[in-house]
Amino acid sequence: MKTNIKLFAVAVIALVATVYTANAEIKPYKELDSKEVVMNYVGASLLENANYTKEMFTEDFEYSNTSNKEKFGKKEYVKHLKSLKNLKYNATQSFEIMDQVGNTAVGKVIMNFDNFTRVDYITLSQTTEGWKISKVVTTYP
């Protein structure tokens, strides 16, 4: 009888845990600081790591490229990053958080390729879901 009760208790606990996990919202950036979010951006843009790309950006995200005057919203840019999934760029990268005041931070990512350098200036906002990227401006100095 004790074995049946223990078995039943384990089954109930497992069922509750499974239901809770299945219904839990995924908020991968909730506990990350601004520097870790920029590291994830580098991973998505250079190192074919496109996990949780959609959650990395605010809903009003804007990407702009100063060399060709292109601008994209969140949907187009996430699609672009996901298209890079099987590509691995041969570039060295460095990044820093240039300034952080209150709920806003500005980061800089430098990507050195063989023939050119790309610099992304990243604006981050702290939301209820953690730090998110609200704007990326790409330059080629």
Side-chain angles (χ1 to χ4, degrees):
M1 181 74 172
K2 285 185 181 182
T3 304
N4 289 341
I5 292 173
K6 286 181 185 178
L7 183 60
F8 179 73
V10 169
V12 168
I13 291 170
L15 179 64
V16 169
T18 303
V19 169
Y20 176 75
T21 303
N23 291 329
E25 284 187 46
I26 297 174
K27 295 184 181 179
Y29 293 94
K30 182 80 172 166
E31 302 299 322
L32 299 182
D33 63 22
S34 57
K35 184 177 181 179
E36 292 168 319
V37 174
V38 172
M39 287 172 48
N40 284 326
Y41 173 78
V42 171
S45 58
L46 277 179
L47 306 173
E48 71 175 308
N49 182 11
N51 294 336
Y52 302 116
T53 327
K54 184 178 176 184
E55 293 83 6
M56 186 184 332
F57 303 109
T58 60
E59 289 304 316
D60 61 346
F61 169 79
E62 181 182 296
Y63 170 83
S64 61
N65 186 324
T66 60
S67 69
N68 59 12
K69 311 285 190 268
E70 287 184 328
K71 290 189 176 191
F72 300 104
K74 177 180 178 176
K75 185 177 179 181
E76 296 87 6
Y77 198 64
V78 167
K79 184 178 178 182
H80 166 71
L81 289 176
K82 288 186 177 185
S83 74
L84 303 176
K85 186 173 182 177
N86 295 321
L87 296 176
K88 206 170 199 176
Y89 291 107
N90 186 19
T92 59
Q93 71 278 348
S94 61
F95 67 90
E96 65 178 305
I97 298 298
M98 296 173 18
D99 194 16
Q100 183 171 327
V101 178
N103 295 336
T104 305
V106 177
K108 179 179 180 181
V109 177
I110 301 171
M111 298 169 239
N112 293 304
F113 294 86
D114 289 338
N115 300 324
F116 66 95
T117 299
R118 172 181 164 170
V119 178
D120 286 356
Y121 293 96
I122 301 168
T123 304
L124 299 105
S125 302
Q126 190 171 32
T127 69
T128 57
E129 297 176 346
W131 284 97
K132 292 192 173 229
I133 298 172
S134 59
K135 188 171 188 173
V136 173
V137 177
T138 296
T139 63
Y140 297 92

